[in-house]
């Protein structure tokens, strides 16, 4: 058993280079989501989401499609970063923790991409 | 080293809930709940892309009593998480970290999110109700 403290062991090895990456990504997406989520709610109130035709018309507008894709990408990125922290806090280390994190990241990527494709399909009128 | 099963802190059984700690766990709870909302949003977009028939089917569920209830909960969660998230961003900038300020901003977040939820749901009921 080494008598070295954990700090002494880590000293001199240099930084991990991306120590604040997760934190920074979470704040960046939070800042992006502030206007984007307000815009989304406002848009839904305006169109009323009543019939298919009015939703399609709304999504066919270029600016709406751009903002909607930005909203979706920021939302799923932010969500998986947050869920990752929850998993890291409540699941003890081990394969369950790692596999849950991987699963969450894959689900977020899949659902995010599916949403973007759906938006593009409506936008392009396919 | 002897393995003693010591209780972990914070001792939730005897811990008096304060506004700050309750708001903190609600922030996390609404975050998890909103992630499910993101999946619902994904399904909604897929329904729009799938055409009027499938969209009408989903719309029927979203405007049923359980759909409306779910949407109201999502709207509240979003406004709460949004307002409290802004509170967190101020803390990140080193602002409002004093005990008194955390309580003031806490009450502000609760009131703002409830008010925004009320206004949004009211306007939502008007627009859906008016068209139906």
């Amino acid at each position: 058993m080494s008598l070295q403290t954990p700090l002494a062991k880590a000293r001199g090895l240099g930084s991990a280079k991306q120590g604040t990456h997760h934190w920074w990504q979470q704040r960046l997406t939070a800042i992006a989501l502030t206007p984007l989520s307000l815009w989304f709610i406002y848009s839904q109130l305006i169109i009323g989401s009543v019939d298919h035709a009015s939703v399609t018309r709304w999504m066919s507008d270029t600016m709406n499609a751009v903002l909607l894709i930005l909203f979706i990408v920021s939302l799923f990125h932010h969500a998986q970063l947050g869920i990752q922290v929850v998993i890291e806090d409540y699941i003890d280390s081990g394969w369950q923790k790692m596999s849950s994190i991987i699963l969450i990241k894959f689900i977020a990527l899949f659902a995010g991409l599916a949403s973007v494709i759906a938006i593009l399909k409506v936008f392009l009128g396919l | 080293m002897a393995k003693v099963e010591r209780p972990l802190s914070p001792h939730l059984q005897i811990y008096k809930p304060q506004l700050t700690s309750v708001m903190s766990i609600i922030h996390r709870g609404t975050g998890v709940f909103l992630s499910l909302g993101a999946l619902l949003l994904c399904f909604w977009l897929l329904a729009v892309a799938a055409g009027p028939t499938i969209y009408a089917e989903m719309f029927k569920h979203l405007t049923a009593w359980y759909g409306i209830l779910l949407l109201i909960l999502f709207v509240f969660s979003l406004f709460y998480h949004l307002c409290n998230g802004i509170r967190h961003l101020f803390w990140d900038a080193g602002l409002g970290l004093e005990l008194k300020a955390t309580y003031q901003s806490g009450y502000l977040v609760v009131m703002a999110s409830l008010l925004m939820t009320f206004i949004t749901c009211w306007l939502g009921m008007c627009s859906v109700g008016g068209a139906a």
Side-chain angles (χ1 to χ4, degrees), chain A residues 79-81 83-84 87 99-109:
Chain A
Q80 62 89 14
L81 288 169
I83 300 283
Q84 182 191 345
I87 291 171
S99 40
S100 317
I101 291 174
I102 292 171
L103 184 69
I104 286 297
K105 290 193 182 272
F106 283 178
I107 290 173
L109 196 59

Side-chain angles (χ1 to χ4, degrees), chain B:
Chain B
M1 226 186 280
K3 272 226 164 194
V4 184
E5 288 284 324
R6 293 197 175 89
L8 297 165
S9 86
H11 313 291
L12 289 175
Q13 301 87 349
I14 55 156
Y15 202 80
K16 185 184 172 223
Q18 315 106 327
L19 179 77
T20 41
S21 63
V22 171
M23 285 190 70
S24 172
I25 194 65
I26 292 177
H27 189 74
R28 185 162 272 204
T30 50
V32 173
F33 185 58
L34 285 168
S35 304
L36 299 174
L39 290 180
L40 181 68
L41 178 60
C42 174
F43 283 123
W44 182 75
L45 290 167
L46 289 171
V48 176
T53 323
I54 292 175
Y55 182 82
E57 190 65 30
M58 184 165 190
F59 189 74
K60 202 173 69 189
H61 287 294
L62 284 177
T63 47
W65 68 268
Y66 51 87
I68 297 285
L69 182 69
L70 200 62
L71 289 177
I72 291 173
L73 287 174
F74 278 132
V75 167
F76 170 73
S77 299
L78 189 133
F79 283 135
Y80 179 86
H81 202 84
L82 180 72
C83 294
N84 205 46
I86 292 169
R87 185 167 168 241
H88 267 280
L89 290 175
F90 273 101
W91 287 338
D92 290 335
L95 299 166
L97 287 164
E98 300 77 22
L99 190 61
K100 196 173 169 225
T102 60
Y103 271 85
Q104 285 172 337
S105 60
Y107 281 117
L108 188 66
V109 164
V110 172
M111 284 189 296
S113 48
L114 284 174
L115 186 69
M116 287 161 95
T117 306
F118 179 76
I119 293 172
T120 304
C121 292
W122 185 63
L123 291 173
M125 292 295 178
C126 289
S127 73
V128 173

Side-chain angles (χ1 to χ4, degrees), chain A residues 86-98 100-101:
Chain A
V86 175
I87 291 171
E88 284 167 348
D89 281 356
Y90 299 136
I91 301 182
D92 274 341
S93 45
W95 67 268
Q96 295 98 330
K97 179 172 167 176
M98 189 49 80
S100 317
I101 291 174

